[in-house]
C-alpha cells in the first residue's frame, strides 16, 4: 500500500501550517485525482491516520470541506471545543489537515465546522474507520493496518463464477443468532457459529446485510452515516477481518450488501456537511428520497465519485470481501423513482434517466474489475433497465450479475395462489424462461420478501399445515433447478413460520419439531445436490443449458424441463407437481434412451413427505412423446419435485434407500465434515 500519510507536515514553529515534506508532486497529483473522480483509494489520504513525527506519535486528520470557514478537531480531551485544535486549510484544494501528537488509538473525535453563515456544527468523519455504538455518534481513531491474513490460498484460487455453483446465504448478523440474554454476538464469536453451519448446509457464499455504521437498528444498515466504519455493534474493524478470514479459510465466499444510493439525514452525518449540500444534490427534487427519508448522492460531483468508488474498493482491499450486492440501483437510475408528479425533474433531454448515475455505475464497475477481475458485482435492479450485466464498452452498466426480480415476483405470486387458481396462472412459471438468459441472473429469495406483512416463505404456501411444507419443498426445488445463481435469506432453510423478526434472533427452536427439522434436512441435501450436479450451474447463462419438456400442462399444474451441463452424461430431468394430487404414470419424452434414476424426490419420508418415491431404475420405452422417439413414465407425488438422471447400470434394480443414492447421501454427510468446497470460488468481471 502506498503510504501518503507523510506528505503532510507542520512548518517548524508554526503549529497550524502544513506543507508537503516529501513528494510534493505526489500531493498535487492526489488532490487532482480526487477532484477528477479518479482517486480510487482516497481513504489512504483522508480521515484519521496514525503517524510518528519527530519521535512523537499521533494522528493526522484530513477532511474535505471546501465551503467551511474554519475546521477544527473536537475531542473529548478538549471538551469538544474544536476551535482549540484548528486544522490547516491546504490552499485551492478544499482539504483541511493537521497532525496532532499525543492522540492515541481509540480517541473519540468529530470535526467542528464553522459554516459561511456563522453556524458551528459537529460532524463525524466521513472517512472514519470506526465509530461509536449507537446512539452515540462520534468517530474513533483506529488503525486498520497490521492484520495478518491467512486466506491467501482462497484469494489465489479466485476464478469466474459463470460456470460454477453459486449458492448464497443472505443474513443479518444481529438477528441470525443471539446470546441467551439477548445480546449480540461479536464478529469473532460469529465466526465460530457461522462457519460450521454454512459448511453443513453446503452454501458456497454468505452475503451480509450492510455493515457500514448506521444510527438506527431498524434501518437494517441501509441508512448509513459511516461508510468506512464497520458497525461497532459487533466489535472492532480487525474483528470483522477475522470473520471474513475465517470464512475464506473454510472455502466460503463473503459478499457485502453495499448502499451507494443514499445516506441518512442524521445531523452528524453527510447532510450539509460543510454547511452546504456537499455530498447530496443541491436541488431537493434530485436529492430527496421521500419514501425513505434519505438523501441521494450527487453523482455529478467527481469528489463524490472518488468517495464512493474508493469505498467499494476499501471493503475489498482492507476486509477482503469477494464482491458487493449493490442496493437500490433502480432508485439511482430513475429520476422519478417512488416520486409523485411535481417531486422530480426530467433530464436535459426530457427523459427520466439519471445520466450521472449511469456514468457513475459504469465507472464503478470498470474500476472494480480493473483491481479485482473476479469480484462479484451484483445489481439489485427491479425495473426492465436493459444491459445491466453487459460490459461498459458495449453500452451496459458493467455488473456481472443482476437480481432476477421478475422471476421472484412471478414465482411468489404463483406459489401464494390457491390450488384452484394455479391453472390460470401457469404463465407465471413459463414466461420467466423467455428472459432468463437476457442477463446474468441471481434468483433472490431475500429479506425483502419476508417482511412488512408479506409472510414468511413457508407461510406463503397455501393449504394445510402438511401441504405448506410439501409446497415449500417443491418451491425450493424449483428455485434450485431454475437457471440462475441462488440467494436464500436466513430462516428460509428451515421454514421460519413468521416473518423475519428484525429485533430478535431466528426461531431456531422450530428445529425441535419434525416438520421443520425435515425441511432443514431437505434444504441441506438439495444444496449438496446443487453443488454436485454440473447441469444445475455449468451452462447457467445460456439456452444451451435448458430445454422444456412439458411447459403447457396447466391443467395438472405440472412442469418438466431438462438441465444440461457440458457433458451429456450430466443431464438432469426435472418434474414438478404444484397440485396436492398424485399424478400416476406421468409420461415425458426424453432425448436419450436408457435407464433413469430418481436422484431427488421431495416427497421422501426423510423430508416429511408421504413416501411416494420411484425407487427402481426407470426404463425408457420406444413410445414417441414430446417430440422425442423415446419416453418414460413415473409417479409424481402431490406437491413435489422429482429429479432424474440417466443411469449407467443396465439392470433394472432397486435404488438404495432415499430419493438419492447412498453414495450421494454419504458424500453429503462427508462434505459437512470437510473444511470447504474447492469448487466454490468468487468470480470474474462482466461477461461479454
Amino acid at each position: 500500500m502506498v503510504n501518503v500519510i507523510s506528505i503532510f507536515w507542520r512548518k517548524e514553529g508554526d503549529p497550524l501550517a502544513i506543507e508537503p515534506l516529501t513528494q510534493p508532486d505526489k500531493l498535487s497529483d492526489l488532490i487532482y485525482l480526487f477532484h477528477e473522480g479518479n482517486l480510487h483509494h482516497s481513504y489512504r489520504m483522508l480521515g484519521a491516520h496514525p503517524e510518528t513525527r519527530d519521535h512523537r506519535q499521533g494522528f493526522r486528520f484530513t477532511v474535505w470541506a471546501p465551503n467551511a470557514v474554519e475546521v477544527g478537531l473536537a475531542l473529548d480531551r478538549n471538551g469538544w471545543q474544536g476551535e482549540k485544535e484548528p486544522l490547516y486549510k491546504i490552499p485551492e484544494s478544499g482539504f483541511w489537515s493537521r497532525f496532532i501528537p499525543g492522540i492515541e488509538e481509540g480517541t473519540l473525535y468529530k470535526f467542528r465546522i464553522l459554516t459561511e453563515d456563522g453556524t458551528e456544527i459537529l460532524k463525524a468523519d466521513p472517512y472514519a474507520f470506526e465509530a461509536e455504538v449507537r446512539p452515540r455518534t462520534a468517530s474513533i481513531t483506529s488503525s486498520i493496518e497490521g492484520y495478518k491474513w491467512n486466506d491467501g490460498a482462497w484469494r489465489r484460487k479466485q476464478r469466474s463464477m459463470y460456470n460454477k455453483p453459486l449458492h448464497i446465504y443472505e443474513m443479518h448478523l444481529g438477528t441470525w443468532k443471539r446470546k441467551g440474554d439477548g445480546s449480540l454476538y461479536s464478529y469473532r464469536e460469529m465466526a465460530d457459529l457461522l462457519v460450521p453451519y454454512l459448511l453443513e448446509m453446503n452454501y458456497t457464499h454468505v452475503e451480509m446485510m450492510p455493515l457500514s455504521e448506521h444510527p438506527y437498528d431498524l434501518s437494517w444498515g441501509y441508512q448509513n452515516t459511516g461508510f468506512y466504519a464497520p458497525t461497532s455493534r459487533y466489535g472492532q474493524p480487525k474483528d470483522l477481518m477475522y470473520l471474513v478470514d475465517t470464512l475464506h479459510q473454510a472455502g466460503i465466499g463473503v459478499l457485502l450488501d453495499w448502499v451507494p444510493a443514499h445516506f441518512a439525514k442524521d445531523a452528524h452525518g453527510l447532510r450539509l456537511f460543510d454547511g452546504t449540500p456537499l455530498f447530496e444534490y443541491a436541488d431537493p427534487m434530485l436529492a430527496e428520497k421521500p419514501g425513505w427519508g434519505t438523501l441521494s448522492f450527487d453523482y455529478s460531483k467527481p469528489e463524490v465519485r472518488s468517495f464512493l468508488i474508493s469505498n467499494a474498493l476499501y471493503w475489498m482491499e482492507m476486509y477482503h470481501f469477494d464482491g458487493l450486492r449493490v442496493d437500490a440501483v433502480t432508485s439511482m437510475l430513475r429520476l422519478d423513482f417512488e416520486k409523485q408528479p411535481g417531486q422530480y425533474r426530467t433530464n436535459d433531454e426530457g427523459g427520466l434517466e439519471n445520466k450521472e448515475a449511469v456514468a457513475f455505475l459504469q465507472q464503478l464497475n470498470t474500476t472494480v474489475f480493473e483491481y479485482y477481475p473476479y469480484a462479484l458485482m451484483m445489481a439489485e435492479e427491479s425495473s426492465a433497465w436493459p444491459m445491466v450485466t453487459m460490459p461498459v464498452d458495449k453500452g451496459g452498466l458493467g455488473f456481472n450479475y443482476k437480481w432476477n426480480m421478475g422471476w421472484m415476483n412471478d414465482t411468489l405470486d404463483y406459489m401464494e395462489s390457491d390450488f384452484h387458481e394455479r391453472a390460470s396462472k401457469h404463465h407465471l412459471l413459463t414466461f420467466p424462461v423467455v428472459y432468463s438468459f437476457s442477463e446474468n441472473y441471481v434468483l433472490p429469495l431475500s429479506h425483502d420478501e419476508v417482511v412488512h406483512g408479506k409472510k414468511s416463505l413457508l407461510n406463503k404456501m397455501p393449504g394445510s399445515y402438511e401441504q405448506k411444507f410439501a409446497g415449500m419443498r417443491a418451491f425450493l426445488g424449483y428455485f434450485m433447478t431454475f437457471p440462475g445463481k441462488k440467494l436464500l435469506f436466513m430462516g428460509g432453510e428451515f421454514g421460519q413460520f413468521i416473518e423475519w423478526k428484525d429485533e430478535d434472533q431466528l426461531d431456531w427452536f422450530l428445529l425441535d419439531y419434525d416438520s421443520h427439522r425435515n425441511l432443514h434436512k431437505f434444504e441441506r441435501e438439495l444444496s449438496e445436490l446443487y453443488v454436485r450436479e454440473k447441469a444445475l450451474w455449468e451452462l447457467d447463462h445460456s439456452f444451451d443449458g435448458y430445454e422444456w419438456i412439458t411447459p403447457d400442462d396447466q391443467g395438472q399444474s405440472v412442469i418438466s424441463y431438462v438441465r444440461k451441463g457440458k457433458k451429456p452424461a450430466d443431464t438432469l430431468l426435472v418434474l414438478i407437481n404444484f397440485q396436492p394430487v398424485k399424478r400416476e404414470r406421468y409420461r415425458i419424452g426424453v432425448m436419450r434412451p436408457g435407464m433413469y434414476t430418481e436422484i431427488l424426490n421431495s416427497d421422501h419420508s426423510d423430508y416429511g413427505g408421504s413416501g411416494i418415491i420411484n425407487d427402481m431404475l426407470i426404463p425408457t420405452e420406444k413410445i414417441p412423446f414430446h417430440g422425442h422417439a423415446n419416453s418414460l413414465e413415473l409417479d409424481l407425488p402431490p406437491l413435489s419435485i422429482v429429479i432424474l438422471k440417466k443411469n449407467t447400470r443396465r439392470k433394472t434394480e432397486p435404488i438404495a434407500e432415499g430419493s438419492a443414492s447412498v453414495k450421494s447421501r454419504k458424500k453429503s454427510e462427508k462434505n459437512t465434515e470437510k473444511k470447504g468446497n474447492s469448487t466454490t470460488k468468487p468470480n470474474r468481471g462482466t461477461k461479454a
Side-chain angles (χ1 to χ4, degrees):
M1 179 183 296
V2 177
N3 183 358
V4 300
I5 293 173
S6 61
I7 64 177
F8 296 105
W9 195 264
R10 295 183 300 105
K11 286 183 179 178
E12 196 66 37
D14 183 353
L16 305 185
I18 299 175
E19 65 177 3
L21 178 67
T22 59
Q23 300 177 300
D25 293 337
K26 183 71 173 178
L27 173 59
S28 60
D29 288 347
L30 294 173
I31 292 173
Y32 174 81
L33 289 171
F34 181 78
H35 292 306
E36 286 291 302
N38 292 315
L39 187 57
H40 299 155
H41 300 87
S42 58
Y43 54 89
R44 299 178 187 173
M45 182 174 74
L46 288 104
H49 295 267
E51 274 192 61
T52 301
R53 296 183 179 180
D54 293 336
H55 307 292
R56 293 181 299 172
Q57 294 182 341
F59 271 77
R60 190 260 302 159
F61 298 86
T62 307
V63 63
W64 177 56
N67 301 303
V69 176
E70 295 177 2
V71 177
L73 192 67
L75 302 161
D76 47 1
R77 79 175 188 183
N78 65 19
W80 300 100
Q81 303 299 309
E83 64 273 15
K84 296 179 181 179
E85 301 279 9
L87 272 61
Y88 173 75
K89 185 174 184 178
I90 302 174
E92 300 180 359
S93 70
F95 293 123
W96 301 74
S97 188
R98 182 181 174 186
F99 168 74
I100 301 180
I103 301 291
E104 298 178 346
E105 191 167 351
T107 299
L108 304 180
Y109 73 99
K110 286 186 179 180
F111 292 118
R112 175 258 185 187
I113 295 175
L114 181 64
T115 68
E116 292 176 335
D117 65 2
T119 302
E120 292 187 10
I121 54 178
L122 290 178
K123 289 289 187 177
D125 184 352
Y127 283 87
F129 296 142
E130 191 173 354
E132 283 190 292
V133 179
R134 81 291 187 235
R136 296 176 178 174
T137 58
S139 301
I140 304 175
T141 55
S142 179
S143 174
I144 57 173
E145 302 287 350
Y147 179 83
K148 295 182 179 179
W149 290 89
N150 295 291
D151 64 346
W154 166 265
R155 287 165 70 84
R156 286 191 296 272
K157 292 179 180 178
Q158 289 186 350
R159 295 293 184 271
S160 169
M161 292 300 295
Y162 292 122
N163 61 350
K164 300 292 183 183
L166 181 57
H167 190 194
I168 304 164
Y169 187 69
E170 184 192 28
M171 66 176 300
H172 180 261
L173 278 183
T175 56
W176 184 64
K177 282 187 178 180
R178 289 194 176 183
K179 298 179 182 179
D181 61 0
S183 61
L184 302 173
Y185 283 103
S186 70
Y187 293 118
R188 287 181 180 268
E189 291 170 330
M190 188 62 70
D192 294 334
L193 299 172
L194 188 58
V195 168
Y197 184 76
L198 295 174
L199 291 176
E200 174 194 0
M201 297 303 295
N202 300 294
Y203 296 114
T204 68
H205 290 68
V206 60
E207 178 181 300
M208 299 176 185
M209 290 170 66
L211 293 177
S212 296
E213 195 58 80
H214 51 283
Y216 184 48
D217 285 8
L218 297 187
S219 77
W220 311 333
Y222 291 99
Q223 296 187 10
N224 298 331
T225 51
F227 280 76
Y228 286 83
T231 177
S232 296
R233 288 165 173 80
Y234 316 116
Q236 296 181 315
K238 289 177 182 176
D239 298 327
L240 175 57
M241 295 175 189
Y242 175 85
L243 172 58
V244 176
D245 194 10
T246 305
L247 286 161
H248 279 172
Q249 291 178 62
I252 299 166
V254 192
L255 308 176
L256 179 65
D257 205 336
W258 186 59
V259 190
H262 60 152
F263 56 87
K265 291 184 177 181
D266 295 63
H268 68 286
L270 300 180
R271 178 178 178 267
L272 298 175
F273 184 77
D274 63 358
T276 67
L278 190 61
F279 289 89
E280 68 269 33
Y281 285 103
D283 183 346
M285 285 195 178
L286 296 173
E288 294 286 343
K289 290 193 182 302
W292 298 339
T294 56
L295 293 172
S296 174
F297 283 101
D298 183 350
Y299 306 107
S300 70
K301 290 182 179 176
E303 297 85 357
V304 170
R305 297 198 297 273
S306 285
F307 175 82
L308 288 172
I309 292 173
S310 292
N311 190 243
L313 295 173
Y314 166 79
W315 293 109
M316 296 181 188
E317 179 185 22
M318 301 309 303
Y319 292 91
H320 288 201
F321 281 96
D322 300 299
L324 305 173
R325 177 265 194 186
V326 182
D327 179 62
V329 170
T330 309
S331 78
M332 301 168 65
L333 296 171
R334 299 280 305 187
L335 294 168
D336 63 339
F337 179 80
E338 293 189 356
K339 293 184 178 181
Q340 301 300 317
Q343 292 182 321
Y344 61 87
R345 301 186 193 284
T346 57
N347 61 34
D348 57 1
E349 295 180 350
L352 295 172
E353 303 84 9
N354 187 333
K355 294 181 179 180
E356 296 153 359
V358 171
F360 162 72
L361 291 171
Q362 291 175 326
Q363 182 185 355
L364 166 72
N365 287 314
T366 299
T367 305
V368 167
F369 290 127
E370 284 177 357
Y371 287 95
Y372 301 99
Y374 301 113
L376 289 167
M377 293 294 289
M378 300 182 173
E380 188 227 2
E381 203 289 301
S382 56
S383 74
W385 191 278
M387 300 193 297
V388 173
T389 59
M390 284 291 287
V392 171
D393 60 8
K394 294 185 178 180
L397 293 182
F399 290 93
N400 53 6
Y401 279 99
K402 172 183 174 176
W403 277 21
N404 194 338
M405 309 294 278
W407 174 89
M408 179 271 297
N409 286 319
D410 285 350
T411 302
L412 291 182
D413 184 357
Y414 181 87
M415 296 307 303
E416 289 182 271
S417 300
D418 288 335
F419 301 124
H420 69 275
E421 297 176 333
R422 289 187 168 180
S424 65
K425 292 190 172 186
H426 196 75
H427 63 284
L428 297 176
L429 299 175
T430 57
F431 179 67
V433 178
V434 175
Y435 61 83
S436 61
F437 306 107
S438 61
E439 302 272 10
N440 303 322
Y441 280 122
V442 172
L443 307 184
L445 296 176
S446 74
H447 65 277
D448 278 329
E449 311 318 314
V450 294
V451 290
H452 303 321
K454 295 180 182 178
K455 301 181 182 180
S456 69
L457 292 180
L458 178 64
N459 208 21
K460 292 179 193 291
M461 305 296 122
S464 66
Y465 181 82
E466 291 77 12
Q467 288 171 339
K468 284 181 179 292
F469 281 92
M472 182 69 175
R473 293 192 299 271
F475 171 50
L476 288 174
Y478 176 52
F479 163 65
M480 293 296 283
T481 57
F482 192 89
K485 307 307 182 184
K486 322 299 177 187
L487 180 141
L488 179 66
F489 183 57
M490 63 181 195
E493 74 273 23
F494 63 81
Q496 176 91 9
F497 214 99
I498 62 174
E499 289 185 347
W500 171 41
K501 299 178 293 182
D502 53 10
E503 297 182 87
D504 199 1
Q505 71 169 2
L506 296 177
D507 289 336
W508 294 102
F509 68 87
L510 291 175
L511 290 174
D512 293 335
Y513 297 87
D514 289 343
S515 296
H516 295 273
R517 188 167 57 251
N518 292 334
L519 176 62
H520 196 232
K521 180 177 183 179
F522 174 73
E523 166 65 11
R524 182 174 66 247
E525 296 192 4
L526 177 66
S527 298
E528 190 277 328
L529 181 143
Y530 167 75
V531 171
R532 185 181 75 241
E533 296 294 339
K534 294 182 178 181
L536 297 178
W537 39 261
E538 200 168 43
L539 299 175
D540 237 346
H541 308 300
S542 167
F543 273 111
D544 293 339
Y546 184 91
E547 181 179 319
W548 276 114
I549 301 175
T550 313
D552 54 1
D553 191 1
Q554 60 265 31
Q556 299 188 87
S557 297
V558 173
I559 58 172
S560 61
Y561 46 88
V562 178
R563 291 303 310 273
K564 306 174 186 176
K566 294 179 180 179
K567 297 179 180 178
D570 294 327
T571 300
L572 302 179
L573 310 181
V574 180
L575 300 92
I576 311 175
N577 179 8
F578 289 106
Q579 290 290 349
V581 179
K582 178 182 177 182
R583 307 298 183 190
E584 295 184 352
R585 301 182 66 182
Y586 192 87
R587 183 171 291 275
I588 59 169
V590 295
M591 298 172 58
R592 302 173 65 220
M595 311 297 291
Y596 283 79
T597 301
E598 183 179 83
I599 63 170
L600 183 81
N601 185 326
S602 64
D603 196 55
H604 195 281
S605 57
D606 282 359
Y607 307 140
S610 62
I612 300 173
I613 62 174
N614 301 278
D615 60 352
M616 301 286 290
L617 286 173
I618 304 170
T620 59
E621 301 174 86
K622 291 186 177 181
I623 300 176
F625 216 67
H626 294 139
H628 297 292
N630 297 275
S631 60
L632 59 80
E633 64 179 20
L634 73 164
D635 291 339
L636 277 182
L639 294 173
S640 68
I641 179 170
V642 173
I643 302 177
L644 306 178
K645 188 174 186 180
K646 192 172 184 296
N647 199 282
T648 57
R649 288 175 291 185
R650 297 182 179 180
K651 295 182 179 180
T652 302
E653 57 188 68
I655 299 301
E657 63 173 275
S659 57
S661 68
V662 167
K663 179 180 179 181
S664 67
R665 286 286 183 88
K666 289 182 177 179
K667 181 178 179 181
S668 176
E669 294 169 1
K670 185 177 181 181
N671 281 346
T672 64
E673 300 172 2
K674 290 183 178 180
K675 214 175 180 186
N677 191 320
S678 61
T679 66
T680 60
K681 307 162 190 170
N683 216 343
R684 155 84 196 142
T686 309
K687 182 181 179 184

